[in-house]
């Protein structure tokens, strides 16, 4: 019995670790088109893991006896191999996200789940717009003008602040095209340039005002 109980403890421990990692990665490697496209080898590996894990759980459910199920020949070895494969998938995903964060450093301020949602919907700027307050502080969302056709990307014409009521009009509209990590950098640059132009125009206007009160109106 001591050997059987030890086997149960080992299997339950590794199974808990596998389930935790598997449940987290499943939504990414199964549900994210971006991850499937960028990490095809790991997506295929995870598909095999998914089949193995489900099969083991189904076997456990059929047996309905912890000692017998956990001490089935080959079960622990299979779970060890599965855990190793999951670690490879997790490492590849972490490297992939790190590459994106290095290209656009503001992604470091975004949670992994939000970042994956942004990357998965990069070709739909209106969905990325939902996360904009997490990407750039104090910016609630962009003002987007639809393209000429349904397949044409929109243009960013300004932004709305989430602090008080403030609207910033871009000095020139910006076509939102290309990969999401690149067009977000372009949007950030356009926002900085527009604020600089607005500040310069405001300073010029001050020269023609009789008082600071008139200038602030």
């Amino acid at each position: 019995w001591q050997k059987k109980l030890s086997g149960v403890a080992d299997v339950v421990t590794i199974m808990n670790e596998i389930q935790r990692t598997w449940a987290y990665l499943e939504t990414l490697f199964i549900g994210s088109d971006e991850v499937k496209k960028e990490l095809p080898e790991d997506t295929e590996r995870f598909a095999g893991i998914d089949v193995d894990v489900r099969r083991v759980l189904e076997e456990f459910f059929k047996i309905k006896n912890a000692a017998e199920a956990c001490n089935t020949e080959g079960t622990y070895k299979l779970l060890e191999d599965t855990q190793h494969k999951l670690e490879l998938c997790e490492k590849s995903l972490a490297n992939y996200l790190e590459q994106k964060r290095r290209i656009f450093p503001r992604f470091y301020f975004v949670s992994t789940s939000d970042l994956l949602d942004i990357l998965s919907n990069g070709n739909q700027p209106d969905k990325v717009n939902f996360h904009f307050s997490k990407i750039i502080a104090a910016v609630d969302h962009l003002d987007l003008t639809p393209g000429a056709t349904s397949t044409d990307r929109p243009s960013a014409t300004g932004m709305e602040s989430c602090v008080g009521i403030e609207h910033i009009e871009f000095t020139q509209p910006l076509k939102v095209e290309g990969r999401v990590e690149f067009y977000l950098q372009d949007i950030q640059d356009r926002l900085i340039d527009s604020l600089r132009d607005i500040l310069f125009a405001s300073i010029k206007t001050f020269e023609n005002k009789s008082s600071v009160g008139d200038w602030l109106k």
Side-chain angles (χ1 to χ4, degrees), residues 6-69:
S6 177
V8 171
D10 290 342
V11 169
V12 168
T13 298
I14 195 172
M15 197 66 197
N16 282 337
E17 294 174 1
I18 287 173
Q19 283 185 294
R20 184 169 56 251
T21 308
W22 172 60
Y24 162 64
L25 295 178
E26 183 193 22
T27 57
L28 309 178
F29 284 102
I30 302 293
S32 172
D33 292 335
E34 178 73 15
V35 172
K36 290 179 183 178
K37 182 174 65 177
E38 295 290 340
L39 302 173
E41 184 178 335
D42 291 284
T43 298
E44 186 176 346
R45 179 186 292 120
F46 187 82
I49 293 170
D50 190 57
V51 171
D52 290 341
V53 171
R54 290 179 185 277
R55 185 170 63 243
V56 169
L57 291 175
E58 286 173 0
E59 285 298 316
F60 284 2
F61 181 77
K62 288 177 183 177
I63 295 173
K64 291 182 170 58
N65 182 292
E68 184 181 344

Side-chain angles (χ1 to χ4, degrees), residues 135-160:
I135 300 170
I136 300 180
V139 176
D140 184 68
H141 64 272
L142 295 172
D143 295 325
L144 297 175
T145 301
T149 65
S150 59
T151 57
D152 195 20
R153 293 279 191 91
S155 296
T157 58
M159 72 89 178
E160 302 293 334

